[in-house]
Amino acid sequence: GQQVMQIPQYQHVQEGEDFTTYCNSSTTLSNIQWYKQRPGGHPVFLIQLVKSGEVKKQKRLTFQFGEAKKNSSLHITATQTTDVGTYFCAGYGGATNKLIFGTGTLLAVQP
Amino acid sequence: DSGVTQTPKHLITATGQRVTLRCSPRSGDLSVYWYQQSLDQGLQFLIQYYNGEERAKGNILERFSAQQFPDLHSELNLSSLELGDSALYFCASSLSGGSTTGELFFGEGSRLTVL
């Protein structure tokens, strides 16, 4: 079945450093979504990318969707302590109606 | 507040028992999704309903079942509980369903502990 992997599993950065998480799917995705889950919280939607090669920015966050629509990345510039949490990508693969979540990347930010 | 309500927030029960988790989607949303999140694990897709009908199925155990009622609320039934069923169960809703769906709105989850 469809698998969505993310690397790294965990990253610890100093406040002000940049951070990137990568998302790779075993199948072509019709779109990709990104969610953030704060510790003890529930996933919250960040963004959706639909087009091949699409790049979107939200303040310090930059999201990319790969040309082959099988991978995506989230880059955070100059991390802040408020960025702490687990970042998940999620996508619909092929003809499936299942929104499959990636394995997630836990970001820790040291002040 | 996402607008998705899940009850109960916490539940402690014994092995072999049966529990029911309830979810009320956001007003106007027709799709309901159930995900399982074990400790330090990702979100495992269980099942999706759209306007009362099952739309997609993930790796949901045969001991688990779900349904969506005419008022669009959903229930996830977990039976013959095992220790490994201890997890956070999230419900999410969206306006539509399928690959054209936009964002999912998640509830705060129901934490199940099986002793």
Side-chain angles (χ1 to χ4, degrees):
Chain A
Q2 179 191 355
Q3 290 187 329
V4 182
M5 305 297 292
Q6 284 183 250
I7 54 171
Q9 279 189 305
Y10 171 79
Q11 180 130 30
H12 177 228
V13 300
Q14 295 285 330
E15 190 173 20
E17 292 181 337
D18 292 357
F19 159 77
T20 303
T21 173
Y22 299 92
C23 172
N24 294 286
S25 171
S26 58
T27 59
T28 302
L29 302 171
S30 55
N31 60 41
I32 191 92
Q33 299 180 0
W34 284 91
Y35 291 79
K36 176 184 178 181
Q37 184 177 18
R38 293 182 185 273
H42 58 275
V44 175
F45 176 83
L46 294 176
I47 207 162
Q48 175 170 283
L49 306 171
V50 178
K51 299 177 183 175
S52 168
E54 188 171 11
V55 178
K56 286 188 176 180
K57 291 190 176 184
Q58 286 181 351
K59 296 183 181 179
R60 296 178 295 103
L61 277 61
T62 302
F63 304 84
Q64 290 188 328
F65 199 9
E67 293 290 341
K69 300 184 79 172
K70 293 184 72 173
N71 57 74
S72 181
S73 65
L74 159 59
H75 179 82
I76 301 178
T77 303
T79 54
Q80 300 175 358
T81 54
T82 53
D83 295 325
V84 164
T86 301
Y87 292 85
F88 291 99
C89 62
Y92 288 94
T96 179
N97 282 320
K98 305 173 190 177
L99 182 63
I100 303 300
F101 277 74
T103 48
T105 295
L106 174 60
L107 172 64
V109 180
Q110 184 166 354
Chain B
D1 182 11
S2 67
V4 178
T5 304
Q6 287 188 248
T7 57
K9 285 187 167 45
H10 301 276
L11 190 56
I12 301 174
T13 189
T15 54
Q17 295 298 304
R18 172 189 172 94
V19 299
T20 298
L21 310 181
R22 182 188 168 99
C23 170
S24 293
R26 274 191 338 151
S27 177
D29 283 357
L30 299 178
S31 265
V32 169
Y33 308 73
W34 286 97
Y35 286 86
Q36 179 193 56
Q37 186 172 46
S38 301
L39 192 62
D40 297 330
Q41 295 295 311
L43 291 151
Q44 301 299 316
F45 172 71
L46 295 178
I47 200 163
Q48 178 202 352
Y49 283 85
Y50 175 76
N51 204 19
E53 298 290 326
E54 182 182 305
R55 188 72 177 260
K57 208 167 188 176
N59 296 325
I60 186 167
L61 299 172
E62 284 191 11
R63 299 183 287 107
F64 296 0
S65 65
Q67 61 183 122
Q68 185 179 28
F69 294 87
D71 67 352
L72 300 178
H73 91 272
S74 178
E75 292 181 357
L76 178 66
N77 300 295
L78 316 174
S79 62
S80 302
L81 286 168
E82 301 175 0
L83 295 178
D85 297 327
S86 295
L88 191 51
Y89 291 85
F90 283 110
C91 169
S93 73
S94 66
L95 180 60
S96 61
S99 60
T100 58
T101 298
E103 67 180 286
L104 267 58
F105 295 86
F106 280 79
E108 295 187 0
S110 292
R111 182 168 295 283
L112 172 66
T113 302
V114 182
L115 301 176

